[in-house]
Each structure stands twice: as C-alpha cells, then as structure tokens.
Amino acid sequence: MSGAGGTTAARQATGAGDIPVDTPRVPAREAAESELSKPMYHENDPNILQRGLNHFWDWVAGVFDAAAGAAPGGPAGLAVLALILIGLTAALWWRLGTPQRSSRTPDALFESDGPRSAAQHRVAADAHAAALRWTEAVQERMRAIVRSLEERALLDPRPGRTADEAATEAGRALPGHAARLRSAARDFDDVTYGGRTAGQPTYLALRTLDTELDEAKPVLPGASRGAAG
C-alpha cells in the first residue's frame, strides 16, 4: 500500500491541490538581488570612507600575515625584525641628526627666535669663526649685514625677507656694493639651503663687506637729479 501506490496517491493529491513552483535559477537570483538592493536593507551599511578604511586595514593585515609566514620563526621572528629596523632607524637619526632643508627654495633670512641686533649677530658670527664653524659664521655675518642696514634705515624691517631680496634692495641705496651684496646673498643661500660648507675665505669676505658697508654713505633717491639741476 505504501510503495508505488503511495507515490501515485501523492502525485494525485499534488495534482489535485497545490502545484509546485519550479522557478528558473537565473530569474530567481535576479529577483533576490533586486529585493536586496532596496534601501531598507542597507540603512546600517558603512559609508564609502569606512569601507575604504576597512579594505585598507584588511590589506595591511594581509601584508603582515604574509610577512609573518615568510619570516623565520613566524610572528615572533617578524617582531624581532621590526625591533631591529626600529633600532637601525634610531641609530641613523642619532648619527645624522634632524634632516635639514636642502632642496627647497631660499627661505627667510632671519630665524623665528626673536629679533636680534646687528651687534648680537656679529658677536655670534665671531664666536662661530673662533670655533672654526665657518658655515654658521657666514650665516650670522650675513644676518648682521642686513640687520645693520635695517638699523640705519637703509632697509625697511620686513619679516620673511630673503637674502636675495635684501641684497637687491640694499644695492639700490649702495650701488657701489651691489655686486658684492648679491654675491654674499648667494653664499648665504648656498650654505643654508644648498647643502654646501663654507670656508674661512667666504667668512672673511663677508666680514670685510660688513665693515665697509658700515662706513659707506648711501645714495639717496633723487640725489643725482638734484646735482644735475
């Protein structure tokens, strides 16, 4: 009763009542995707930034997992290698010091540690020269030259002025020294931003220029026109 006859009875019952729905696979998948694309199913999804960060951290984790698998000793070996790398970086930092600006455009002539007089810059320059620190001596002597011109009102004090700008402006008031002023500005830029090292001759030339400028008389605007008239 329960063999073929039962199966036949079941088929008859099904045929008499509900008919099984046999939906093709592709339309069914498309219908599910359409349903799941509705906003109500994505209200709590992470935004684009969060998704990007999640992908990034997944990538970082994958990199570390791969490195741990390749490093001798697994994760412990990777930790040892990381400590060695940190130690080498610290040693290089201590040996070389803070990276200096070497490939940027010339910056302000004076540092931002507060204004100092020309006399103070000269004292600092002489101290560096006595210790054979010619690069620092050149820098301080150039600052003394520009500060002295500001104190004599031949240059207007202006924060952010470069050595080239100071030399160009001072050359108008002191045309007889214009070429040497421009040369001094180039020396300052070379040792400050160009990575070059100054020597004693460069410093002595700037010290001589400083002394001569201190005694030079400026050419006032309109002076030549007045003499001609």
Side-chain angles (χ1 to χ4, degrees):
M1 294 293 294
S2 60
T7 302
T8 303
R11 290 177 179 175
Q12 292 176 350
T14 302
D18 298 331
I19 300 175
V21 178
D22 187 10
T23 306
R25 181 174 301 176
V26 174
R29 185 177 67 246
E30 293 176 350
E33 291 175 352
S34 176
E35 177 66 21
L36 293 175
S37 66
K38 294 180 179 179
M40 61 182 293
Y41 295 105
H42 302 279
E43 294 178 352
N44 298 320
D45 286 356
N47 55 35
I48 295 177
L49 177 60
Q50 291 173 329
R51 291 198 297 271
L53 288 174
N54 290 339
H55 287 308
F56 172 75
W57 289 120
D58 289 342
W59 175 79
V60 171
V63 170
F64 275 100
D65 289 342
L78 180 63
V80 172
L81 291 176
L83 290 175
I84 293 174
L85 180 60
I86 292 172
L88 290 175
T89 302
L92 286 173
W93 188 276
W94 177 82
R95 179 66 180 84
L96 301 177
T98 303
Q100 300 294 321
R101 301 174 298 181
S102 59
S103 60
R104 69 176 195 172
T105 56
D107 204 345
L109 175 66
F110 295 101
E111 297 174 346
S112 58
D113 57 352
R116 291 189 292 170
S117 66
Q120 289 174 313
H121 285 295
R122 290 183 180 119
V123 169
D126 289 338
H128 286 305
L132 305 183
R133 295 189 295 265
W134 302 116
T135 295
E136 291 83 355
V138 166
Q139 292 171 329
E140 286 299 322
R141 184 60 67 168
M142 185 63 191
R143 291 172 180 139
I145 289 173
V146 175
R147 185 66 77 202
S148 176
L149 294 173
E150 291 178 348
E151 291 173 353
R152 294 172 59 191
L154 298 181
L155 288 178
D156 294 329
R158 189 174 76 244
R161 175 189 276 125
T162 67
D164 287 333
E165 292 171 343
T168 300
E169 295 170 16
R172 300 189 187 105
L174 299 166
H177 298 82
R180 293 170 65 193
L181 280 166
R182 289 193 298 270
S183 177
R186 285 194 299 270
D187 290 335
F188 176 87
D189 289 341
D190 286 344
V191 302
T192 305
Y193 310 117
R196 298 185 182 178
T197 302
Q200 183 180 17
T202 303
Y203 174 70
L204 294 179
L206 261 71
R207 189 177 68 178
T208 300
L209 177 61
D210 186 17
T211 302
E212 293 180 2
L213 288 174
D214 204 36
E215 300 173 353
K217 294 183 179 180
V219 175
L220 301 177
S224 59
R225 292 194 299 270

